[in-house]
Amino acid sequence: MLRILDRWFLLLCTSCLCSALMTAPASAEEGRQGRLVNVAWLQQHLAETSLLDASVTPQHMAGHIPGAVSADLYRYGVDEPSRAAMEQRIQSWGISPGRKIVVYDQGGDMMATRLFYDLYYHGVPASEIFILDGGLARWRAQGGAVTKEPTPPPPAGTLRITALREEVRVRLPEFLAASGDRDHHALVDALGPSYYYGEQKFFDRAGHVPNAIMMPSTDFYNADKTFKSPAEIRRQLAYLGIKPEQVVHSHCGGGVAASVPWFALQFMVEQPKVKLYLESQREWLRDERGLPYWTYSAPQIQRESAWLDGWNGPMLRAFGVAQLNIVDVREAEKYALGHVAFALNVPAETFRSHLGRPEKLAELLGPAGVNPAHEVVIMAESGLTPGAALAFLAFEQLGQKKVSVLMDSVDEWGLRGHGLTKEPTVVGNPKTAKDISVPVAKYQAQLRPNVLIGGPLATRGEYPKVFVASGKAAPVRTPEGQVVQLPYTELLNADGTPKAAKELWKLITNAGVPRHAEVILFADDPAEAAINYYVFRLMGWPDVKVWAN
């Protein structure tokens, strides 16, 4: 009886194993993961694939996998070919329906992903296109043969382009609209920090498209030039705040580097909606409207006198168009000597004394006339003072809809021809239609977690902690872990304004702060740490907090 049961159990296990193997997805084939194949897989299937080398022609001539056809897209120029011309080009590479296509480049590059995109966009089924993971570098490292002998032209293929996949391509009008809708769209910039922050430029202006998220193509590769795992790519997306429900628009200078995030998000992590902006910054900057271009990641948290004077006019306030509160954080005595019209005096000491008690602070702000749905423009003696930064930090924690800091001092405001008044701003419900006093507001805080934290170990980010000592002097208490010194004074100009984005990038990275980190700022005086918080926000760091040391 036991032998019969043993035999029955063995048959059951064998049956389950066979069933599991039969239902395993095709991507589980050894050496193949989704649209990626490794060297061993290619060596085994080389005879039954069309092998395309997407490297630039000089690299192909210097050495390529035997049998690889050169498919250098740069050789054809930047102008988009007609459908007939593209069909002829693809056929010249020997591409026919039903035959597997393997694309490669030098490894850790952008040419293979761009060629993959072109084939896919022109209708080739994704199931027939693969990328050699690690490219030629990986092929060489694993002993693959390389030749300089030209590959004879293959027999002309028979693939016909019958339809274009327009759903994976974004055009300028949609891209422009997406730039202003961060809730539903994410603009991924595949260029590196030197371009993003304005140190280098391809065209007439340096910087990036407004609200673009820096995610360089190099971030998707390991040191051996293979792609990072889907789990690691998802980790980067979570860190940058890119959500599955958003439409991702990948772009760069001319639409080549952008193909790397497009491929990784579309075929590795299966982001539901991913599009490539082929024309990219080249078209954006040539638009006759002179579309805006930024160097800081969040320049809207800085305001200038001309902007504030324009939006703070009595007529705009009378019609409810202004939608802003000016919060003057100077002492009451200085405020009384002269202030901007309609400015509300909430001294910096009020924010300091309520540090860590945001609900109590909210109870004071509403009666003072601060509306949580409006933009708060913070004004101090001169630019980004510790008091102004502390107020900025407090409003961020409270969940204020928009917060900015006026970069001009009170003296500069007057010198620019803008008026000052000594009359206190009237706060109260308007008595007549012409009464433009600042109405009392009900301030309901929408607290943002992890802006101000109570201890160095109170939070856990996607990446390891880096503590940044931000005060003028070395702090009395220093947490355990990686600590770097970056006094806030190094990040500001003499007039209290932040230095240029390209300079800030160098100062921050040279201090030892990586792009991927949970950045925790601290100082003996939290107002000094708050200045660095403002600067890191200006530069677009995704995960930055202040520890009230």
Side-chain angles (χ1 to χ4, degrees):
M1 182 65 179
L2 290 175
R3 290 181 181 178
I4 294 173
L5 288 174
D6 287 344
R7 182 178 296 178
W8 177 84
F9 182 73
L10 180 61
L11 288 172
L12 178 62
C13 291
T14 305
S15 175
C16 291
L17 179 60
C18 290
S19 176
L21 290 172
M22 289 174 65
T23 57
S27 60
E29 178 185 344
E30 187 175 355
R32 175 179 147 193
Q33 186 65 41
R35 299 297 95 210
L36 296 175
V37 296
N38 64 18
V39 170
W41 186 96
L42 179 58
Q43 289 173 329
Q44 185 179 353
H45 297 85
L46 195 57
E48 60 199 60
T49 64
S50 294
L51 185 61
L52 303 181
D53 184 357
S55 308
V56 295
T57 301
Q59 291 175 332
H60 176 81
M61 294 174 64
H64 56 268
I65 299 173
V69 175
S70 177
D72 176 7
L73 297 177
Y74 285 141
R75 191 169 61 208
Y76 300 100
V78 297
D79 293 331
E80 186 175 355
S82 66
R83 188 180 299 192
M86 191 65 190
E87 182 178 280
Q88 184 179 22
R89 185 184 302 177
I90 293 174
Q91 289 177 353
S92 73
W93 297 333
I95 306 301
S96 295
R99 184 175 174 85
K100 290 183 174 64
I101 305 164
V102 176
V103 181
Y104 76 92
D105 53 25
Q106 297 297 296
D109 203 351
M110 61 190 78
M111 300 309 297
T113 52
R114 174 55 195 270
L115 182 54
F116 185 106
Y117 173 86
D118 281 342
L119 293 169
Y120 184 72
Y121 173 70
H122 286 92
V124 180
S127 59
E128 296 179 7
I129 323 170
F130 302 89
I131 288 179
L132 175 61
D133 198 15
L136 186 65
R138 193 68 175 164
W139 176 271
R140 287 180 183 271
Q142 297 195 355
V146 174
T147 182
K148 294 183 181 180
E149 293 295 322
T151 301
T158 59
L159 185 134
R160 302 295 303 272
I161 298 176
T162 58
L164 303 177
R165 287 193 174 91
E166 287 294 342
E167 69 275 9
V168 297
R169 183 172 181 178
V170 60
R171 308 282 180 163
L172 179 58
E174 181 186 354
F175 186 79
L176 179 58
S179 174
D181 184 4
R182 289 182 291 174
D183 289 337
H184 302 98
H185 300 268
L187 273 57
V188 168
D189 186 339
L191 298 178
S194 62
Y195 288 99
Y196 185 87
Y197 291 118
E199 182 181 11
Q200 292 180 279
K201 63 180 181 179
F202 282 119
F203 308 107
D204 65 304
R205 282 182 283 164
H208 58 270
V209 172
N211 291 319
I213 300 170
M214 183 176 63
M215 199 173 189
S217 58
T218 52
D219 279 1
F220 292 87
Y221 294 108
N222 297 307
D224 65 358
K225 302 184 185 298
T226 59
F227 273 93
K228 290 180 179 177
S229 69
E232 180 57 32
I233 295 172
R234 290 190 189 95
R235 184 186 188 194
Q236 293 183 62
L237 293 174
Y239 174 72
L240 294 170
I242 299 174
K243 303 175 178 63
E245 60 268 23
Q246 289 177 306
V247 182
V248 175
H249 305 271
S250 186
H251 68 287
C252 56
V256 180
S259 64
V260 178
W262 173 83
F263 173 82
L265 271 60
Q266 177 89 16
F267 293 102
M268 296 183 66
V269 303
E270 297 179 348
Q271 181 86 9
K273 294 181 181 179
V274 188
K275 299 188 177 189
L276 181 61
Y277 184 23
L278 283 179
E279 295 80 6
S280 284
Q281 295 170 1
R282 178 167 55 95
E283 181 179 52
W284 180 277
L285 289 171
R286 294 183 70 173
D287 190 271
E288 62 185 10
R289 292 166 289 185
L291 298 175
Y293 214 51
W294 294 353
T295 52
Y296 296 117
S297 182
Q300 69 274 15
I301 66 174
Q302 297 183 111
R303 293 302 185 191
E304 306 297 336
S305 293
W307 182 93
L308 184 57
D309 185 60
W311 285 103
N312 194 45
M315 184 177 71
L316 296 185
R317 283 191 171 271
F319 286 99
V321 175
Q323 298 287 297
L324 63 83
N325 291 127
I326 304 170
V327 174
D328 190 327
V329 299
R330 295 176 300 157
E331 295 88 347
E333 295 78 11
K334 292 183 179 179
Y335 172 84
L337 294 174
H339 58 85
V340 176
F342 307 109
L344 307 170
N345 187 214
V346 185
E349 187 55 40
T350 301
F351 295 98
R352 182 183 293 276
S353 62
H354 288 82
L355 194 66
R357 298 189 299 157
E359 294 87 353
K360 293 294 182 181
L361 178 61
E363 292 176 5
L364 300 176
L365 294 175
V370 181
N371 190 321
H374 291 177
E375 176 173 350
V376 162
V377 182
I378 300 166
M379 188 171 189
E381 293 89 348
S382 177
L384 187 63
T385 63
L390 197 62
F392 181 87
L393 177 70
F395 278 115
E396 285 267 287
Q397 186 183 26
L398 286 168
Q400 184 75 29
K401 185 177 181 181
K402 292 182 180 179
V403 195
S404 57
V405 176
L406 184 69
M407 289 294 112
D408 297 323
S409 67
V410 176
D411 291 339
E412 289 171 324
W413 177 273
L415 290 173
R416 295 177 191 276
H418 308 307
L420 293 172
T421 180
K422 294 183 179 180
E423 293 296 324
T425 299
V426 177
V427 178
N429 296 321
K431 297 179 176 60
T432 67
K434 294 183 179 180
D435 186 352
I436 52 175
S437 58
V438 177
V440 173
K442 185 177 182 180
Y443 203 106
Q444 291 184 331
Q446 302 291 327
L447 297 182
R448 292 190 182 108
N450 302 332
V451 172
L452 186 68
I453 60 175
L457 303 179
T459 58
R460 181 177 179 180
E462 289 288 339
Y463 292 93
K465 288 176 168 47
V466 175
F467 297 96
V468 180
S470 306
K472 288 182 183 179
V476 174
R477 295 173 58 201
T478 300
E480 293 184 4
Q482 183 181 353
V483 178
V484 301
Q485 302 289 328
L486 187 59
Y488 77 89
T489 50
E490 294 184 10
L491 305 180
L492 302 181
N493 296 309
D495 61 358
T497 59
K499 292 182 176 179
K502 59 184 178 183
E503 295 179 57
L504 291 174
W505 165 250
K506 289 182 179 179
L507 288 167
I508 293 171
T509 54
N510 288 345
V513 182
R515 281 197 302 115
H516 297 91
E518 181 187 4
V519 178
I520 299 179
L521 310 166
F522 71 103
D524 290 339
D525 181 353
E528 295 183 331
I531 292 183
N532 275 13
Y533 176 86
Y534 178 91
V535 172
F536 273 78
R537 283 276 286 104
L538 183 66
M539 293 293 284
W541 243 264
D543 189 3
V544 55
K545 308 172 176 75
V546 170
W547 168 36
N549 186 7

